[in-house]
Amino acid sequence: MLTTIAATAPYWHGGGFPFFVFPAFFFFAFLVVFLVFGVARRGSWRARSDARSVLADRFARGDIDAEEYRARLSELSRK
């Protein structure tokens, strides 16, 4: 009986731990992190793009002059 237990101890009747779970878990964790940061980054890019379009519209309407337009555009580019 002791030799039978020693021979099958780590697997207990041939089952064993499903080691494919580890790569699948890390794949899904990486996917979630990628999606969360991708969405967050895309949102901030979209906000900057909207700010530039509003600035361009104000310049086109004549609300601001060229000097103020360039100054504000360079400020947006730094962020």
Side-chain angles (χ1 to χ4, degrees):
M1 181 165 153
L2 188 57
T3 57
T4 305
I5 292 174
T8 61
Y11 301 107
W12 303 110
H13 305 294
F17 186 77
F19 286 102
F20 66 89
V21 172
F22 286 118
F25 170 75
F26 286 114
F27 173 74
F28 286 120
F30 176 75
L31 184 67
V32 166
V33 168
F34 179 75
L35 288 175
V36 166
F37 283 113
V39 168
R41 185 171 185 229
R42 186 176 58 204
S44 66
W45 175 81
R46 188 172 291 153
R48 274 187 272 154
S49 178
D50 290 344
R52 286 185 180 137
S53 66
V54 168
L55 186 62
D57 288 342
R58 287 186 64 199
F59 179 65
R61 285 194 309 257
D63 293 343
I64 57 176
D65 60 349
E67 183 178 328
E68 186 177 357
Y69 173 75
R70 283 190 211 104
R72 291 184 184 207
L73 190 61
S74 68
E75 184 66 30
L76 285 174
S77 298
R78 278 193 272 169
K79 293 182 180 181

